[in-house]
């Protein structure tokens, strides 16, 4: 799995999946995300949006059809290799008790402070971090309890950028945030998806407009 190739192609061909036998959640689903493109997925609750993410992450195995990454059946790619090459940013952001630096690097010694600061500036959240007591050493507390939903989301974007995924899967959680944070989030999404193969569960019109294609 070419984990540093940010232009992989994803193909679903007549994919069927059911959690309960006889009750398909996905039925003959076909789409393609070309190299470097962003696919926005829209639809009502229960329409299978999150299921598509779970199949790409191989949390579940599809029952029929084919799922290909650069022409390779997904079941032929080692799970650990696949997941190392992906970043999945969900609505419920996981942060652990510790510094911002530890949370965004996951204590990976290969990611130095200079790289973190550079990425934070690129996304546009460096100033926000510096305003916190201790800056990058600020303790976010367990599950990010001391930060707003939008601030937690921005840190999850920074974490994703630092690990430079080949495939970005993003559940865009931008509800209930103030206008300034919303602008930062939309800028961060633009930086993250630029030139990268991405699948975005889209809740905002601004993200849908940015996508190369829409699945509904």
């Amino acid at each position: 799995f070419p984990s540093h190739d940010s232009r992989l192609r994803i193909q679903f061909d007549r994919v069927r999946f059911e959690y309960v036998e006889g009750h398909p959640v996905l039925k003959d689903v076909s789409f393609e995300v070309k190299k470097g493109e962003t696919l926005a997925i829209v639809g009502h609750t229960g329409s299978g949006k999150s299921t598509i993410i779970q199949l790409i992450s191989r949390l579940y195995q599809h029952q029929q059809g084919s799922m290909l990454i650069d022409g390779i059946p997904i079941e032929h790619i080692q799970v650990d290799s696949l997941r190392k090459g992906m970043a999945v940013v969900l609505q419920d952001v996981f942060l652990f008790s510790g510094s911002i630096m530890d949370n965004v690097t996951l204590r990976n010694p290969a990611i130095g402070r200079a790289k973190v600061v550079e990425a934070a500036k690129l996304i546009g959240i460096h100033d926000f971090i510096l305003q916190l007591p201790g800056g990058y050493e600020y303790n976010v507390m367990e599950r990010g309890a001391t930060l707003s939903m939008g601030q937690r989301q921005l840190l999850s974007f920074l974490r994703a950028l630092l690990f430079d995924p080949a495939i970005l899967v993003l559940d865009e959680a931008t509800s209930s945030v103030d206008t300034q944070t919303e602008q930062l989030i939309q800028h961060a999404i633009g930086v993250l998806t630029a030139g990268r193969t991405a699948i975005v569960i889209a809740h905002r019109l601004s993200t849908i407009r940015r996508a190369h294609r829409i699945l509904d």
Side-chain angles (χ1 to χ4, degrees):
F1 187 80
S3 60
H4 295 293
D5 183 349
S6 61
R7 297 179 299 157
L8 296 178
R9 181 176 60 162
I10 301 171
Q11 294 169 283
F12 272 49
D13 184 18
R14 293 171 293 179
V15 170
R16 179 186 177 96
F17 175 78
E18 49 192 37
Y19 294 102
V20 179
E21 187 175 354
H23 298 278
V25 177
L26 302 178
K27 185 177 180 180
D28 294 331
V29 173
S30 298
F31 64 84
E32 178 182 3
V33 190
K34 295 181 180 179
K35 296 183 178 184
E37 283 191 345
T38 296
L39 171 72
I41 302 178
V42 298
H44 58 79
T45 301
S47 61
K49 302 187 302 295
S50 296
T51 299
I52 289 174
I53 292 177
Q54 291 169 341
L55 290 180
I56 294 174
S57 305
R58 291 198 63 188
L59 296 175
Y60 295 95
Q61 178 68 42
H62 61 291
Q63 282 102 8
Q64 294 180 19
S66 60
M67 294 171 52
L68 308 174
I69 296 182
D70 265 9
I72 302 172
I74 196 168
E75 60 270 23
H76 292 172
I77 302 172
Q78 291 186 346
V79 173
D80 58 345
S81 178
L82 175 69
R83 292 177 183 169
K84 283 179 181 178
M86 294 178 60
V88 180
V89 182
L90 301 174
Q91 280 185 308
D92 186 14
V93 177
F94 177 76
L95 296 174
F96 55 84
S97 179
S99 68
I100 286 178
M101 184 68 68
D102 285 346
N103 269 278
V104 298
T105 64
L106 300 179
R107 296 175 180 164
N108 184 339
I111 303 176
R113 183 181 182 88
K115 184 176 180 179
V116 174
V117 171
E118 180 184 4
K121 288 179 178 178
L122 186 63
I123 283 184
I125 64 171
H126 175 67
D127 291 342
F128 144 66
I129 293 174
L130 289 185
Q131 290 172 4
L132 297 171
Y136 286 87
E137 299 307 316
Y138 176 73
N139 191 331
V140 301
M141 306 300 289
E142 188 169 354
R143 300 193 66 81
T146 55
L147 300 174
S148 70
M149 179 189 298
Q151 290 169 336
R152 295 196 297 270
Q153 196 74 61
L154 287 167
L155 290 180
S156 72
F157 293 157
L158 175 57
R159 178 194 289 162
L161 183 61
L162 285 168
F163 283 86
D164 191 22
I167 296 173
L168 175 70
V169 180
L170 177 63
D171 191 346
E172 185 206 347
T174 56
S175 59
S176 303
V177 299
D178 58 76
T179 302
Q180 183 178 5
T181 306
E182 160 69 7
Q183 291 174 345
L184 282 172
I185 286 175
Q186 289 302 331
H187 172 72
I189 291 173
V191 171
L192 269 174
T193 58
R196 192 186 306 277
T197 303
I199 295 178
V200 180
I201 293 180
H203 303 289
R204 295 277 177 151
L205 183 60
S206 52
T207 302
I208 297 171
R209 285 173 174 166
R210 182 184 291 120
H212 296 90
R213 60 189 68 208
I214 300 169
L215 179 68
D216 58 12

